[in-house]
Amino acid sequence: WISGEATERGISASDREVEGQLEQIKEQQFEGNEKQFQRFLRQSEFTEEEAAEQVRLSVLQDKLQQEVLPGEPSISDDEVEAYYAQNEQQFVQPETRNVRVILTSEENEATDAADQLRDDPSPKTFRQVARDVSIDEATKDRGGLREGVVQGQSEPALDEQIFTAQPNEIVGPFETDSGFYVIRVEEVAQERTTPVSE
């Protein structure tokens, strides 16, 4: 289709353009290493001719897009400001919190974890406790750390605790549908509205 459309519109890709594009691909994707490029061809079961044909089609496609797609429209500052005023809510980044969580299936394990963390709430202790007892697969190898948590993202009981806890306070254990949690909010990024200037 690309070749046919290009032919109908009188668009062509010269050997020089194809070779230049291929050299650029080798430089960007294979750091100019010909051996790596040849290994890629073998693994992909491409001949050099087939690779060159793919590059030729890519060059033709770029030229077709430049001819068919309209240029960038001019938008006035007044139009930008009017759109922003009508859609300001779209430019609000909600409050996010980085939180460390320990999740256990047994309350006594969560209580022991909370006691250890109250004695020493360092990231090192969190890493050790998470590795030893947490059943939260997503965070147990990261010291229990969940970054950029947005309100409404977690199960309700956990969500409430995350967004009412004071930073650096050990909270828990408390029970949820998933088990027993111990948490500590590490960092709070306040809600922010991106100004129209940005």
Side-chain angles (χ1 to χ4, degrees):
W1 179 87
I2 291 171
S3 291
E5 187 71 21
T7 300
E8 284 182 23
R9 292 175 178 270
I11 295 172
S12 62
S14 69
D15 290 345
R16 186 175 184 173
E17 288 174 310
V18 171
E19 288 168 15
Q21 184 68 25
L22 190 54
E23 287 306 313
Q24 190 175 353
I25 290 169
K26 287 180 185 179
E27 189 61 41
Q28 290 174 348
Q29 296 182 15
F30 303 98
E31 299 174 356
N33 187 318
E34 184 65 29
K35 287 182 181 178
Q36 286 184 13
F37 176 66
Q38 293 299 327
R39 188 177 316 119
F40 164 77
L41 291 179
R42 284 193 302 277
Q43 290 171 346
S44 305
E45 299 182 359
F46 272 125
T47 64
E48 287 198 45
E49 292 75 20
E50 289 169 330
E53 178 60 15
Q54 291 299 313
V55 172
R56 186 182 77 76
L57 290 173
S58 176
V59 170
L60 289 174
Q61 183 175 345
D62 289 346
K63 288 183 172 187
L64 280 168
Q65 286 177 337
Q66 288 173 10
E67 182 171 303
V68 173
L69 296 178
E72 189 173 309
S74 62
I75 301 169
S76 71
D77 289 346
D78 290 344
E79 288 173 304
V80 170
E81 288 176 15
Y83 179 86
Y84 181 88
Q86 291 172 355
N87 299 279
E88 190 169 349
Q89 197 56 38
Q90 292 181 23
F91 299 96
V92 175
Q93 286 92 43
E95 176 184 311
T96 61
R97 293 184 170 215
N98 293 349
V99 61
R100 290 193 187 270
V101 300
I102 305 294
L103 173 63
T104 66
S105 54
E106 302 294 329
E107 185 174 11
N108 63 328
E109 288 181 324
T111 301
D112 290 345
D115 290 343
Q116 285 182 54
L117 294 166
R118 284 189 179 97
D119 289 343
D120 178 10
S122 68
K124 181 180 177 184
T125 305
F126 258 98
R127 280 193 296 277
Q128 185 65 49
V129 172
R131 203 169 331 156
D132 291 347
V133 300
S134 186
I135 59 173
D136 185 8
E137 293 299 326
T139 65
K140 73 178 294 170
D141 293 331
R142 301 181 68 228
L145 185 62
R146 289 186 187 177
E147 295 179 294
V149 177
V150 176
Q151 193 159 15
Q153 186 176 8
S154 306
E155 59 183 301
L158 175 59
D159 198 62
E160 180 183 350
Q161 294 293 340
I162 290 173
F163 284 89
T164 57
Q166 294 299 311
N168 301 314
E169 172 188 8
I170 301 294
V171 177
F174 56 90
E175 188 173 10
T176 71
D177 292 340
S178 301
F180 296 88
Y181 276 98
V182 177
I183 68 166
R184 183 179 76 182
V185 173
E186 299 267 300
E187 186 178 343
V188 177
Q190 299 296 329
E191 179 182 288
R192 178 180 184 270
T193 301
T194 304
V196 69
S197 60
E198 289 181 22

